[in-house]
Amino acid sequence: MKMLRLAAAAALLLALGAGAQTRAQAQTTLRIGLAEDPDILDPSTARTYVGRIVFAAFCDKLFDIDEKLNIVPQLALSHETSADGKEVTIKLRPGVKFQDGEPFDAEAAKFSLDRHMTLPTSFRKSELASLDHVEVVDPLTIKLVLKTPYSPLIAQLTDRAGMMVSPKAAKEAGDKFGLHPVCAGPYKFVERVQQDRIVFEKFADYWNKDNVFIDRIVYLPIVDATVRLANLKSGGLDLIERVLATDIKDVRADPKLVLSTAPELGYLGLTINIANDKAKGPLSQSEKVRQALDLAIDREALNQVVFNGEFTPGNQWVSPTHPYYQKAFPVRGSDVAKAKALLKEAGVALPVTVDYMVPKGTEYEAVAQVVQSMAAEAGFDIKIRVVEFATTFKQAQAGEFQIFQINWSGRIDPDGNSYIFMHSKAPQNDGGYSNPEADRLMEDARLTADPAQRKAIYEKLTKILLNDEPIIYLYHRKLLIAHTAKVDGYRQMPDGLVRVVGLKLK
């Protein structure tokens, strides 16, 4: 009998051992639900927030940020700026490899920065506009030689301008690099099926591999926020970005779910097509018409109706809680009577018909409908045109819009929320706005690192932009990311990105 019990115990131990071995061999997969399908996965040419979320898994940057917006090293170890502000020396992390096995060194860093600056289709040019050239000092040191001092430089290198790509892969792929990108991040690209999935697997030679605990990451674009949440609840997804503000109570009430929040650095705004409007409608031809549209919108009511009061009404490219917010120009309530008077002064025929392009998505479309209703009271006839997310950027660049309602995820330096959209030579100035004085002020703000001097410059800029209205700012979101309780170690950063290093699946 004793022998039988021992045999049974031995069999049980063998079975448990086999089961443990099977579990050890089973791959862990993190499934992330995205609100849109990203544009091209090339850090030089990409321009979407959702793309930045995906980049965080496979494209490390020279620098990163922490929860308190401090700049911290990533592929770089340190930086030192010369007394005149025109040279920045950066020490690079040793022992780093790209996902194709090529070494990351000073030559590779120079190649990536040169590519950001010179690739004809690059959106990083304005972010690095003050950079004259890059010098290789030694195998792990580069020197950035600037045309003029440029206070936002290191902040720019915490985002796509600081992402490093494999020179070998980029040269071989040419303009097709985004179809099979190769960077120096924790996960390497496996496949992408448009509108369906983007798959990555753990990179065995990642420099920080001891903090990478999940084998595969699958990004699934699901435009409908209700469907995203339903998939999270059912276990089909592990994490979703952009929970609806109206679903906050529901998520918090579910013991199997965790909600992570943070104030957003960016804004949602209405970009006005001023110079590229083929129809030359009244909105593009008169700042009074743009001011009238602004006055017709009740931002607080919009916030209450669409977002249950969870977001922050705004009228500038930074939120009212930001240190660079200009309190001399506070958020106003709506004034329909004044809006009508401005339209009368402008001498336009009523109603003013406007083509309004909005990306597909529950909240985006709800915002557009509220704006449409409010604007109608003042004399606007807004025609909402819902377009697939990535396609909106192609149409915006082609000037095929009169209003483009779009969210900007924001940057830690105010320059990153302003220059690239409103400087006359900036690549993301989709409306073609041009004001020489505004250009000069944006350039001047880049020359000084002194916060008081910069804020004074931005005050002058704000006055001009609130008159010209190239972008009508509406609100600043609260970042809302939900995940199952099985996801361990998630930290929400103010830039809204999902950082996967350090995450575990229980």
Side-chain angles (χ1 to χ4, degrees), residues 187 208 210-214 488-490 499-504:
Y187 290 83
N208 193 17
D210 290 344
N211 285 313
V212 179
F213 305 106
I214 296 169
D488 185 39
Y490 184 75
R499 286 164 175 78
V500 293
V501 172
L503 291 189
K504 296 179 180 178

Side-chain angles (χ1 to χ4, degrees), residues 3 5 19 67 91 100 117 120 125 152 162 168 201 213 217 240 255 308 361 415 444 456 463 480 506:
M3 291 296 291
R5 283 200 301 269
E67 291 102 324
K91 295 285 186 182
D100 58 359
M117 290 191 294
K125 289 178 183 178
K168 180 183 176 184
E201 64 182 27
F213 305 106
I217 299 182
I240 62 172
N308 280 356
D415 175 89
D444 287 350
K463 185 177 182 180
L480 300 169
K506 296 176 186 175

Side-chain angles (χ1 to χ4, degrees), residues 129-181:
S130 297
L131 180 54
D132 185 74
H133 66 276
V134 182
E135 294 178 2
V136 173
V137 177
D138 62 43
L140 288 173
T141 309
I142 56 172
K143 182 186 289 184
L144 310 188
V145 181
L146 309 181
K147 302 167 191 170
T148 59
Y150 179 39
S151 54
L153 177 62
I154 301 301
Q156 295 287 18
L157 298 178
T158 67
D159 194 56
R160 288 167 295 202
M163 290 181 187
M164 302 287 103
V165 302
S166 164
K168 180 183 176 184
K171 289 172 185 174
E172 289 176 356
D175 61 0
K176 301 289 193 297
F177 177 77
L179 299 178
H180 201 290

